[in-house]
Amino acid sequence: MQTGTRVGKTLPALALGIAMLGSQVASAQEDTLSRLQAEAAGSPQRLDLVVEIGNAAVAAGKLDLALSSFEKVLGQVDPASEGAADLLLRIGEVQRRTGDLPGAVESLSRASGIQPDSPVVTSTLAMVLEASGRTEEAIRAYRKGIQLDPENAIAMNNLALLLSEHGGDLDEALSLGRRAQRFLPLDPDVADTVGLICLKKHQSDEAIKAFGASIARDPDQPGVRYHMGLAYAQKGDRPAAIEQLNQALGGKLLPVEREKVRDLLATLEQ
């Protein structure tokens, strides 16, 4: 009981400390942004300061200011230069964050036209294409990104999941997922991807192992608990499946996920 009391007193203090730290960071970002704007006002010809304002605005969450800063500099550099490609990459990332996916695709495609062998530009474009629902284009971009950077585990993981979800070769998808795991052995999302592919290949034990590794690294994952429940159900272990699905319901699920969990539970409990 005493331990519980001490924890109860410590947690609010910890939360307050985190809140104060966040406030201090935000204040420092605002100070940096104000300083840069004042410096740029005194040296309007210095485009590097405008770029720094854009970077600081991104850090401060002022995405409209970031976008206008980067676009201002873009209009004053050689449109075929590496500098233009870098600015277009930054603009595309800001557009992605604001939800302007068509704009992000356009900006990143222009950057890719200038620097076709840039792994960063190619992989960022692939992610935006995927988010836009342009699956085949995203797959091609991910493949190119991995060719340009054979250690890009995020691209491997994303491509593996795309292939598995859109009728691709599951053996290739699993190979990509395993490769991503070698580079990111502690990443719960990569382990989840491997588990989902194993589930599609009806390799229940391997799927359970992968989902278990994901949960061990981040226990608060109701979506992965659902996946684990699917794996146990596929294996025929109803009690274990029901346990995992009930744990999934205790977490934050999207409405469509919650409905699927409840439907599967109802089937298993009949």
Side-chain angles (χ1 to χ4, degrees):
M1 293 296 294
Q2 291 178 344
T3 300
T5 301
R6 285 199 298 271
V7 171
K9 290 182 178 179
T10 302
L11 286 177
L14 177 60
L16 178 60
I18 292 172
M20 290 177 64
L21 178 60
S23 176
Q24 291 169 357
V25 171
S27 177
Q29 290 170 341
E30 290 287 349
D31 290 344
T32 298
L33 189 54
S34 297
R35 176 181 58 77
L36 287 168
Q37 287 175 310
E39 194 173 349
S43 304
Q45 76 284 359
R46 288 190 57 186
L47 297 181
D48 61 311
L49 287 176
V50 182
V51 173
E52 286 302 314
I53 288 172
N55 294 337
V58 170
K62 297 187 175 183
L63 299 182
D64 288 342
L65 174 59
L67 189 61
S68 63
S69 298
F70 295 143
E71 287 177 338
K72 178 180 179 180
V73 179
L74 180 64
Q76 300 183 58
V77 301
D78 180 352
S81 66
E82 290 186 4
D86 177 73
L87 288 162
L88 286 164
L89 173 61
R90 295 170 192 269
I91 290 169
E93 174 58 19
V94 172
Q95 290 169 321
R96 182 189 70 80
R97 294 191 188 193
T98 61
D100 181 10
L101 295 180
V105 169
E106 180 182 356
S107 297
L108 292 165
S109 295
R110 288 173 60 191
S112 181
I114 300 169
Q115 290 188 314
D117 295 329
S118 167
V120 175
V121 171
T122 302
S123 295
T124 306
L125 175 59
M127 287 189 285
V128 175
L129 288 167
E130 179 183 357
S132 302
R134 297 165 63 169
T135 304
E136 292 303 319
E137 294 171 87
I139 288 173
R140 289 195 294 271
Y142 277 129
R143 290 192 189 282
K144 181 180 177 182
I146 294 168
Q147 288 176 347
L148 294 170
D149 180 6
E151 296 185 2
N152 189 335
I154 300 300
M156 292 175 202
N157 178 73
N158 293 353
L159 177 56
L161 198 56
L162 268 185
L163 291 173
S164 69
E165 291 178 341
H166 295 278
D169 185 334
L170 291 180
D171 289 334
E172 180 190 5
L174 184 56
S175 176
L176 284 163
R178 297 284 192 203
R179 283 174 58 195
Q181 264 191 320
R182 288 196 288 272
F183 290 108
L184 295 173
L186 301 180
D187 191 300
D189 292 331
V190 174
D192 184 46
T193 295
V194 170
L196 287 169
I197 298 169
C198 289
L199 193 62
K200 284 183 175 287
K201 289 173 66 66
H202 295 274
Q203 297 175 354
S204 306
D205 288 335
E206 287 297 309
I208 290 167
K209 179 181 177 181
F211 295 139
S214 181
I215 290 169
R217 291 157 196 158
D218 184 3
D220 187 22
Q221 296 188 89
V224 182
R225 296 281 184 184
Y226 167 50
H227 300 159
M228 180 77 94
L230 288 171
Y232 275 122
Q234 185 182 82
K235 185 178 179 179
D237 188 341
R238 290 176 59 191
I242 290 170
E243 179 186 355
Q244 291 296 323
L245 294 171
N246 279 321
Q247 289 194 51
L249 286 177
K252 293 182 179 180
L253 290 166
L254 295 173
V256 64
E257 293 176 323
R258 188 168 294 276
E259 183 178 352
K260 289 179 180 179
V261 172
R262 286 176 173 159
D263 288 345
L264 182 55
L265 264 175
T267 300
L268 292 171
E269 290 173 342
Q270 286 179 353

